[in-house]
Amino acid sequence: MNILLLGSGGREDALAWKLAQSRLIANGGKLWAAPGNPGIARHAECVSLDATDHPAVVAFCEAQRIGLVVVGPEAPLVDGLADSLRAAGIPVFGPSKAAAQLEGSKGFTKDLCARANIPTAGYRRVTSEAEGLAALAQFGAPVVIKADGLAAGKGVTVAMTMAEAEGAVREIFAGAFGAAGAEAVIEEFLEGEEASLFVLTDGATLMVLASAQDHKRVGEGDTGPNTGGMGAYSPARVLTPELESQAITQIVAPTARAMAAEGTPYSGVLYAGLMLTADGPKLIEYNARFGDPETQVLMLRLEDDLGELLLACAENRLAQLPPARFSPDVALTVVMAAKGYPGTPDKGGTIDGVAAAEATGAQVFHAGTALKDGALVVSGGRVLNVTARGATVAAAQAAAYAAVDAITAPSLFCRRDIGQKEVAREVAREATR
Ligand code: AMP
Ligand code: GLY
């Protein structure tokens, strides 16, 4: 079978690496990627395709006899690409436009939680600055302000003071996020540790994949501005088996049931961002796609055929498959980012030593890289995802940083404390044994 993977980041490089090992493409099948990147090009033939041009994507799939389209990022899903492909009879991994609202509209998700009695932060939807400011007064600081739509990860402000909160409301309604900020959600501040849970669903059956923990702030010790994620590890042990099953029964399963009951079944991967509060797990947000960089650690641990899993999901036959198997090992990824990120990244710098890093046993996934005169250079904010496995978080962390140290790229930086909180807990557990 031929498979088309859409996207160009580290998440897609990890998916490409795993899809290239699938039985689906073993017998004369081919993996395509659009647009891909130099890392993805190691596993797939990269082609330039505009994902916003649905007829062009459909035409490509028909011409190349694509049997499965895997959509990496959220924008094409929220834009209805999966609907266009399904209408043309092409199996696609990823939700419909209606179902992708779980990521595309924060207000939609909050209302669904309210209807289905799903634990999440208390909230109010507001459509003007005046309404927003009035809502802030009800909540008091700290409080969270979110642009309703997709804002490339920049639409959320966790405000510690009322002044900051008011500034965030004014910014949204002054148009800082364009149409994504035509509406906003004002939310109760939740306290706890965050963890992410990834679940496959074809609308009827749920298959839990694994948990992970991201590191969203740019600086060590979780300081500085929010980013798309500076590193992750899996599994997230803070999400104990008890808390995980609570999150499934109280959050993920009722969400899938409500979406199906309302005529918009959700098909694809449901990425639940959870806050582990004193009252149990609460939903922070859903994403309608795999996480980046969480996918990089999930793929290193997945022991089944990713192509078979995603195709079963696309063809509504998840119930026929056994539960997905993951290695008990820990996987940990360190994001090497360009100086300036999450602001304007410093592009064009040289990257050496990727092969040496991989010779240590790590996987180096490419995110923002390009080839210039045959040499690898920086072309984006997040550039490389150096990913390794180990029996413990400490071991995976040591292996990942040993690989990072094999790379010479003067214009890149990384956090040196990915997984550190869990390493400290490992040490504490060891001490009490
Ligand atoms: P989001 O873009 O929805 O993932 O939000 C970005 C980050 O803001 C989350 O990862 C949390 O760290 C934080 N956040 C979002 N909502 C809340 C909330 N209600 N209480 C506390 N922190 C939150
Ligand atoms: N790492 C966060 C995300 O993928 O949204």
Side-chain angles (χ1 to χ4, degrees):
M1 165 182 295
N2 299 328
I3 300 177
L4 171 64
L5 170 66
L6 296 178
S8 62
R11 163 182 52 211
E12 286 78 20
D13 192 11
L15 293 172
W17 171 73
K18 198 68 188 167
L19 285 172
Q21 303 167 40
S22 173
R23 283 188 292 276
L24 297 183
I25 59 168
N27 299 312
K30 176 167 177 174
L31 180 61
W32 291 89
N37 68 33
I40 294 170
R42 298 180 293 182
H43 315 295
E45 178 166 342
C46 295
V47 49
S48 152
L49 257 184
D50 177 2
T52 65
D53 184 348
H54 298 186
V57 177
V58 168
F60 176 86
C61 291
E62 286 172 345
Q64 299 299 336
R65 298 190 319 281
I66 299 294
L68 173 67
V69 178
V70 177
V71 184
E74 63 277 14
L77 297 167
V78 171
D79 183 42
L81 180 62
D83 306 72
S84 300
L85 288 163
R86 284 195 187 99
I90 300 159
V92 52
F93 177 76
S96 67
K97 179 175 184 150
Q101 284 186 90
L102 281 178
E103 174 162 6
S105 167
K106 304 216 183 262
F108 171 88
T109 300
K110 298 302 282 189
D111 285 353
L112 180 118
C113 287
R115 287 196 299 281
N117 207 11
I118 291 168
T120 187
Y123 74 107
R124 256 195 70 188
R125 293 179 81 163
V126 297
T127 54
S128 70
E129 182 183 306
E131 231 188 314
L133 295 176
L136 290 183
Q138 282 182 354
F139 284 91
V143 62
V144 182
I145 300 95
K146 302 183 173 180
D148 185 73
L150 293 185
K154 297 190 174 110
V156 175
T157 302
V158 179
M160 288 301 154
T161 65
M162 282 307 262
E164 204 187 334
E166 287 164 12
V169 167
R170 290 202 176 91
E171 190 189 13
I172 289 175
F173 290 106
F177 305 105
E183 194 179 328
V185 171
I186 311 292
E187 229 177 73
E188 170 200 0
F189 172 79
L190 296 177
E191 270 196 270
E193 190 160 340
E194 287 178 53
S196 308
L197 183 60
F198 295 85
V199 180
L200 287 185
T201 173
D202 54 14
T205 301
L206 297 182
M207 184 190 285
V208 178
L209 294 178
S211 63
Q213 192 168 53
D214 193 7
H215 295 62
K216 287 209 162 101
R217 302 299 191 100
V218 75
E220 281 159 20
D222 297 325
T223 53
N226 258 311
T227 70
M230 293 299 294
Y233 65 90
S234 172
R237 283 191 64 168
V238 281
L239 190 69
T240 60
E242 296 71 33
L243 292 175
E244 180 177 304
S245 79
Q246 218 177 319
I248 295 293
T249 52
Q250 297 180 3
I251 299 175
V252 179
T255 300
R257 275 200 303 274
M259 293 299 284
E262 294 176 12
T264 53
Y266 184 96
S267 170
V269 60
L270 201 47
Y271 160 170
L274 304 171
M275 188 72 87
L276 307 180
T277 74
D279 302 329
K282 293 192 179 183
L283 181 71
I284 300 174
E285 60 156 7
Y286 277 125
N287 292 311
R289 37 124 188 125
F290 279 110
D292 189 352
E294 295 93 326
T295 305
Q296 289 80 319
V297 286
L298 256 47
M299 291 305 113
L300 230 63
R301 294 184 53 226
L302 177 62
E303 291 181 330
D304 286 314
D305 185 321
L306 179 68
E308 302 267 19
L309 284 170
L310 303 190
L311 184 64
C313 206
E315 295 181 336
N316 302 318
R317 40 181 188 76
L318 218 43
Q320 295 167 17
L321 296 192
R325 291 169 307 154
F326 282 80
S327 162
D329 271 5
V330 175
L332 184 142
T333 190
V334 176
V335 173
M336 297 182 76
K339 285 180 186 158
Y341 179 77
T344 308
D346 180 2
K347 294 186 188 174
T350 56
I351 303 168
D352 288 301
V354 170
E358 291 200 322
T360 67
Q363 286 291 322
V364 180
F365 297 116
H366 291 225
T369 68
L371 285 172
K372 193 178 164 206
D373 305 325
L376 201 61
V377 297
V378 173
S379 74
R382 291 189 291 175
V383 180
L384 296 173
N385 310 137
V386 182
T387 315
R389 278 170 61 156
T392 60
V393 183
Q397 186 195 52
Y401 283 112
V404 165
D405 291 336
I407 293 173
T408 307
S411 68
L412 301 186
F413 72 97
C414 67
R415 276 180 63 166
R416 284 273 159 188
D417 65 343
I418 303 303
Q420 197 52 46
K421 262 196 277 183
E422 189 57 33
V423 170
R425 285 191 285 251
E426 275 177 359
V427 170
R429 273 196 298 271
E430 205 48 42
T432 58
R433 263 159 50 125

